[in-house]
Amino acid sequence: MLQLSIAIITWNSARHIRECLESVLESTTHLSHEIILVDNGSTDQTREILTSYQELPQLRTIFLPANLGVAGGRNRCIREAQGKYIWLLDVDTVVNQEAVHTMFTYMEAYPECGICGCKLINRYGMVQDSCRRLPSLSYKINNVLSSILNKYSLFAVLQKKIDDKNQTQFYRKEIAAPDPVEVEYLIGACQMIRREVIAEVGELDEHIFYGPEDADYCLRASRKGWKIIFLPTVCFVHDYQQITNRKIISKMGFIHAKSLFYFFRKHKRF
């Protein structure tokens, strides 16, 4: 059995795919691995770029005729995966061998860990809130209010009160600490999942087209007794651009909201 399957989905990802793939290739030479890449119906130059990598023996590419969403695309990767661990990785990342090695060796050492991830930073070194408490309706309402108020300096005091109230959803002290920590969920940009978890929990929920399929999966895994572990001592770059933040009212914003309410209803988190 291969040690690691790296699962990447693309959708109009021409600006990211080369850098991501090159970093993965450089960072996994110490492991027996495969890269499974599913393109979710891209209409830019993504497919042409991927074609140039098709001679690589460890890379398998699947071209879908339409966008199946994050869960749908990743499930296609999972069905193909042959590795002991399946690493769900966002295409807008630049990884390194230290982070890959640390996550892999932790999973090997602690069989109770079902899913693990590490610290994510942007290109300027700012740390992301990549491990969080499970989404709730109050958290999401506060997020939207803060985003709206951020545009108007007149409401700065009110925005700060909302932001302070919303801090409980994050693990910021734990992210800054040196020890591994059990968390409620890891964002889907970096989830290394044990094969036994997938066998027991199943695939990602395709009713969730775009977020929070990552929280849903971690919750389902933890209910089966698996630990979700965040490793704060290693990191890699995630060029995070949440498309639902560009416009509060948009097609993707509506799809994301629909997925959230499905999650809240499914897990009774109103």
Side-chain angles (χ1 to χ4, degrees), residues 122-137:
N122 68 14
R123 293 181 184 273
Y124 305 101
M126 296 179 63
V127 178
Q128 293 180 13
D129 293 309
S130 56
C131 58
R132 306 179 184 183
R133 290 178 175 82
L134 291 166
S136 69
L137 186 59

Side-chain angles (χ1 to χ4, degrees), residues 41-205:
S42 290
T43 56
D44 65 353
Q45 299 302 308
T46 299
R47 295 192 174 201
E48 287 79 357
I49 294 171
L50 291 176
T51 300
S52 68
Y53 286 90
Q54 286 188 329
E55 296 302 317
L56 293 174
Q58 70 269 51
L59 176 65
R60 277 182 285 157
T61 307
I62 301 169
F63 294 107
L64 301 179
N67 191 344
L68 298 184
V70 176
R74 283 184 167 154
N75 281 342
R76 287 297 302 270
C77 294
I78 288 169
R79 291 166 200 161
E80 296 286 327
Q82 300 297 313
K84 183 178 182 180
Y85 304 106
I86 294 87
W87 185 20
L88 304 185
L89 182 68
D90 270 7
V91 70
D92 53 355
T93 56
V94 180
V95 304
N96 59 74
Q97 189 171 98
E98 182 185 20
V100 178
H101 177 74
T102 300
M103 287 188 290
F104 179 84
T105 55
Y106 188 90
M107 296 287 278
E108 290 281 272
Y110 297 94
E112 70 275 14
C113 175
I115 306 173
C116 84
C118 69
K119 188 180 293 184
L120 303 179
I121 61 174
N122 68 14
R123 293 181 184 273
Y124 305 101
M126 296 179 63
V127 178
Q128 293 180 13
D129 293 309
S130 56
C131 58
R132 306 179 184 183
R133 290 178 175 82
L134 291 166
S136 69
L137 186 59
S138 62
Y139 284 151
K140 291 303 175 180
I141 290 173
N142 285 338
N143 286 344
V144 172
L145 287 175
S146 178
S147 179
I148 293 171
L149 294 174
N150 186 50
K151 300 177 181 179
Y152 305 100
S153 58
L154 181 64
F155 298 104
V157 174
L158 178 58
Q159 183 195 357
K160 186 178 185 308
K161 288 182 179 180
I162 292 173
D163 288 345
D164 289 345
K165 184 178 180 181
N166 227 21
Q167 293 308 302
T168 56
Q169 70 181 297
F170 303 119
Y171 289 91
R172 288 176 179 161
K173 289 183 179 179
E174 291 83 355
I175 287 176
D179 300 319
V181 59
E182 185 174 359
V183 298
E184 291 189 2
Y185 89 96
L186 301 162
I187 67 170
C190 175
Q191 290 182 341
M192 190 175 288
I193 307 174
R194 193 177 298 275
R195 173 167 291 279
E196 290 86 347
V197 172
I198 292 172
E200 187 174 359
V201 176
E203 298 181 346
L204 302 176
D205 189 340

